Amino acid sequence: MNHNPHMNTTAAEGSPYVIEMRGITKEFPGIKANDNITLQLKRGEIHALLGENGAGKSTLMSVLFGLYQPDEGQIFRDGVPVKINDPNDATALGIGMVHQHFKLVECFSVLDNIILGAETTKLGFLQKKEARRKVLDLSEKYGLHIDPDAIVEDITVGMQQRTEILKMLYRDNDILIFDEPTAVLTPQEIEELMEIMKGLAAEGKSILFITHKLAEIMAVADRCTVLRKGKYIGTVNTADTTKQELSDMMVGRHVQLVVEKDEAVPGDVVLSVRNLRVKSKLQKKDVVRRVSFDVHAGEIVCIAGIDGNGQSEFIHALTGLEPVGAGKIVLGGKDITNASVRNRSFMGLSHIPEDRHKHGLILDYSLEQNMVLQRYFEPEFQNHGFIRFNEVREYADNLIEKYDVRSGQGAATTVRSMSGGNQQKAIIARELSRDHKLLVAVQPTRGLDVGAIEFIHKEIIKERNAGRAILLVSLELDEVMTLSDRILVMFEGEIVGEFDPKKTDVQTLGMYMAGAKRQNSSKEEMTDAE
């Protein structure tokens, strides 16, 4: 088997495709993740792989990267059949991958992460000087600016992603797989990544780009292959298609890309926050400063801002995950400033958390156990301290059906084995089906496809129309503009502006989010923050 990444030229000239996957089938217990899929990647192109959550995109790329072995089908590199037993084989063939959840060693430096497993040694000693020079040259060439000595756990998500990309380039990979690369990035970082991808393709690298963000596909991809429920639907040139056509291909029906909603009819104040301060874990300063606002029944108030401006800490204080430094939180007329997480839940707070793995689910529990996490002790689900398993199963089955949560073995599925989008749907099903006055939804559609986003947006509007108060935190400006009834912009831990989405635009919000402008307490009076 020829594992040399630089294949003989006759093979290369004979095939128009640098990678061809033919008839790939891969099955897991209870689910056919890939069902006879063919994918063809041309040299120097950016090829998008589009599909709903659980359509089989990540599985297909894991087969190409040697993490899984296909049950059927064959892979060709420059027209020559190859067998990829593990990621080392993939690397030898010039294939690199940036995973959706980064595979970095948190306590290592950026430089050490990049060279890990591909170290240059001389007589058994690590040649770090040469490695550093090569990394800095690559970072300069491709505009991937990094600090090689920074420790990974201290750097931003965008910087971690650049580290992952440099890891591929350091190994001289010329086929680059990006798995949902923009799911955790800010709008500015996404734009930078798109430019980097275009630069890599112009250099002759071939890129496979897994995503379900249609705007990104239209912006950078040359061609797009669509998968649905594990099957190949088709490949199209992006120049000859539209967002609507792609979304309909992906979901198999017509999808509403714009939210339809009536005017809000706000009722009584449900949530009242006064002069809230939250201390930073790392420094001595406050990371949330003097934040005050109200959310009424029957309205959606959105906190918008660039990631890292205190939104996460504010939500943690609001939901009881972190202590409040000073100030007051009142929910439904009751002071919950120092209440436990369970008591906040009893008082009517539902929370869709930002980090579904850390704060939303217990990954090694079954789906049904996760569905009753805050309720297993209620009489409905327990009798004299013993859990009523039939009732739990019935309750979970109803939610799975109502919210279309897809998993291999239904309610008994271990949550860790489900796709990210279906994990998210499980949290949303659990939080919306409990009795609550206030829904705190943080990045509720992060990493979801258009079909799931349409569904979740409709559910949030339904919640609002049923008279519940919604506090939304989102980095997606499209979502902020279409869902909100009022927008609060947060910058460096303070609320710097309040807007009506019908009377503002994305550019104006961007100015406030970047700190270039702020409103004084009388809303009409605006100042440039120079």
Side-chain angles (χ1 to χ4, degrees):
M1 198 64 59
N2 187 354
H3 274 221
N4 179 355
H6 310 290
M7 287 280 172
N8 62 51
T9 50
T10 52
E13 281 158 14
S15 170
Y17 303 116
V18 65
I19 283 286
E20 191 172 8
M21 302 179 79
R22 287 188 204 158
I24 301 291
T25 296
K26 180 69 186 165
E27 272 189 80
F28 296 107
I31 195 157
K32 215 175 209 183
N34 290 159
D35 186 355
N36 189 22
I37 292 177
T38 292
L39 176 71
Q40 296 164 321
L41 175 67
K42 291 178 182 170
R43 205 168 280 92
E45 79 166 336
I46 300 178
H47 193 118
L49 190 55
L50 174 69
E52 289 183 282
N53 300 111
K57 310 181 295 294
S58 293
T59 303
L60 188 67
M61 290 303 98
S62 296
V63 166
L64 179 57
F65 194 57
L67 292 167
Y68 296 141
Q69 293 306 306
D71 301 330
E72 289 168 34
Q74 207 166 14
I75 299 171
F76 296 82
R77 169 78 159 98
D78 288 324
V80 177
V82 291
K83 177 127 180 58
I84 304 174
N85 295 308
D86 56 40
N88 290 335
D89 285 355
T91 303
L93 289 164
I95 301 167
M97 183 164 180
V98 174
H99 300 266
Q100 187 173 1
H101 300 288
F102 302 144
K103 310 271 190 218
L104 296 170
V105 182
E106 299 262 309
C107 57
F108 276 22
S109 71
V110 166
L111 179 64
D112 289 343
N113 265 286
I114 292 169
I115 65 178
L116 184 62
E119 300 89 345
T120 315
T121 54
K122 203 173 192 177
L123 302 174
F125 290 96
L126 185 58
Q127 300 294 302
K128 229 173 178 178
K129 213 178 204 172
E130 288 174 30
R132 171 186 286 266
R133 195 166 50 241
K134 181 173 174 181
V135 167
L136 290 173
D137 287 350
L138 284 168
S139 95
E140 194 59 41
K141 181 176 175 183
Y142 293 107
L144 291 155
H145 304 297
I146 45 111
D147 171 1
D149 303 312
I151 303 300
V152 163
E153 63 189 351
D154 299 334
I155 62 178
T156 66
V157 179
M159 204 61 80
Q160 288 180 33
Q161 187 169 59
R162 289 178 188 188
T163 306
E164 282 272 27
I165 296 169
L166 281 167
K167 211 162 96 180
M168 292 196 294
L169 298 175
Y170 185 81
R171 284 156 181 71
D172 299 325
N173 291 330
D174 55 358
I175 293 155
L176 313 179
I177 305 168
F178 289 85
D179 186 358
E180 297 283 353
T182 63
V184 289
L185 300 185
T186 64
Q188 287 81 348
E189 286 171 333
I190 290 172
E191 272 179 39
E192 284 169 20
L193 177 68
M194 298 287 148
E195 288 309 311
I196 289 164
M197 285 168 74
K198 284 180 187 166
L200 290 167
E203 286 277 331
K205 309 272 184 202
S206 310
I207 297 177
L208 279 163
F209 171 40
I210 305 181
T211 183
H212 33 229
K213 294 187 179 176
L214 301 167
E216 291 169 10
I217 291 178
M218 299 308 279
V220 294
D222 301 301
R223 294 192 302 150
C224 176
T225 291
V226 182
L227 304 185
R228 187 187 329 136
K229 292 183 181 171
K231 286 189 163 61
Y232 172 80
I233 302 299
T235 301
V236 292
N237 291 322
T238 46
D240 308 330
T241 188
T242 62
K243 281 190 204 176
Q244 189 67 56
E245 268 177 34
L246 285 176
S247 64
D248 294 355
M249 264 175 94
M250 159 175 156
V251 184
R253 60 176 174 79
H254 185 69
V255 179
Q256 278 182 303
L257 296 177
V258 180
V259 189
E260 287 180 0
K261 66 185 207 300
D262 300 325
E263 279 293 311
V265 186
D268 299 336
V269 172
V270 170
L271 174 70
S272 180
V273 178
R274 288 292 170 270
N275 291 318
L276 198 76
R277 291 173 181 268
V278 181
K279 285 195 167 29
S280 166
K281 280 182 177 172
L282 301 172
Q283 296 130 341
K284 290 194 169 137
K285 60 176 193 168
D286 287 338
V287 68
V288 175
R289 300 196 280 271
R290 303 186 303 278
V291 165
S292 300
F293 64 88
D294 293 334
V295 184
H296 297 78
E299 73 166 345
I300 299 171
V301 173
C302 179
I303 295 178
I306 294 167
D307 209 4
N309 277 279
Q311 305 95 314
S312 298
E313 291 85 353
F314 170 74
I315 293 297
H316 287 172
L318 176 64
T319 54
L321 294 171
E322 273 179 33
V324 168
K328 197 173 177 185
I329 305 169
V330 178
L331 176 62
K334 292 178 185 151
D335 188 336
I336 63 161
T337 314
N338 300 309
S340 68
V341 172
R342 182 180 278 196
N343 282 334
R344 289 175 207 231
S345 175
F346 283 153
M347 288 173 182
L349 189 150
S350 273
H351 177 207
I352 300 167
E354 175 176 25
D355 187 332
R356 54 180 168 248
H357 289 174
K358 203 184 276 183
H359 297 129
L361 298 161
I362 300 178
L363 293 175
D364 292 313
Y365 276 19
S366 66
L367 182 50
E368 61 190 343
Q369 287 169 322
N370 273 284
M371 289 295 201
V372 294
L373 277 183
Q374 306 107 312
R375 302 189 55 189
Y376 65 89
F377 44 78
E378 292 177 11
E380 186 184 341
F381 300 117
Q382 64 92 18
N383 187 13
H384 299 304
F386 291 95
I387 289 183
R388 303 166 68 180
F389 291 106
N390 290 346
E391 279 71 9
V392 170
R393 172 65 54 96
E394 195 179 323
Y395 179 72
D397 283 343
N398 285 337
L399 291 188
I400 288 166
E401 188 177 347
K402 183 180 173 190
Y403 289 88
D404 187 27
V405 183
R406 295 179 197 173
S407 60
Q409 292 143 302
T413 309
T414 304
V415 166
R416 188 183 292 281
S417 69
M418 291 162 50
S419 75
N422 284 299
Q423 291 174 350
Q424 186 76 351
K425 281 190 190 174
I427 294 172
I428 285 161
R430 180 185 70 211
E431 297 301 319
L432 297 192
S433 57
R434 298 195 293 118
D435 194 23
H436 59 281
K437 301 184 184 89
L438 170 71
L439 172 67
V440 178
V442 189
Q443 302 277 58
T445 58
R446 171 181 269 182
L448 296 190
D449 57 70
V450 284
I453 290 171
E454 176 195 44
F455 173 76
I456 286 159
H457 283 174
K458 280 182 175 167
E459 289 299 317
I460 290 175
I461 301 282
K462 249 190 242 169
E463 286 277 292
R464 177 197 85 159
N465 295 346
R468 294 195 181 90
I470 320 277
L471 180 64
L472 173 72
V473 178
S474 180
L475 297 176
E476 302 275 351
L477 284 181
D478 292 349
E479 181 166 80
V480 171
M481 294 298 282
T482 53
L483 265 192
S484 318
D485 298 311
R486 275 193 298 139
I487 301 169
L488 305 172
V489 174
M490 204 174 213
F491 174 71
E492 290 187 346
E494 294 181 54
I495 302 288
V496 295
E498 181 178 322
F499 301 91
D500 177 341
K502 293 192 288 297
K503 296 177 185 163
T504 190
D505 55 37
V506 170
Q507 282 69 29
T508 306
L509 286 183
M511 297 281 282
Y512 283 82
M513 284 162 67
K517 280 189 166 184
R518 64 190 300 144
Q519 294 172 351
N520 286 344
S521 42
S522 67
K523 253 184 258 166
E524 286 68 42
E525 198 184 329
M526 313 232 179
T527 57
D528 282 334
E530 260 85 69

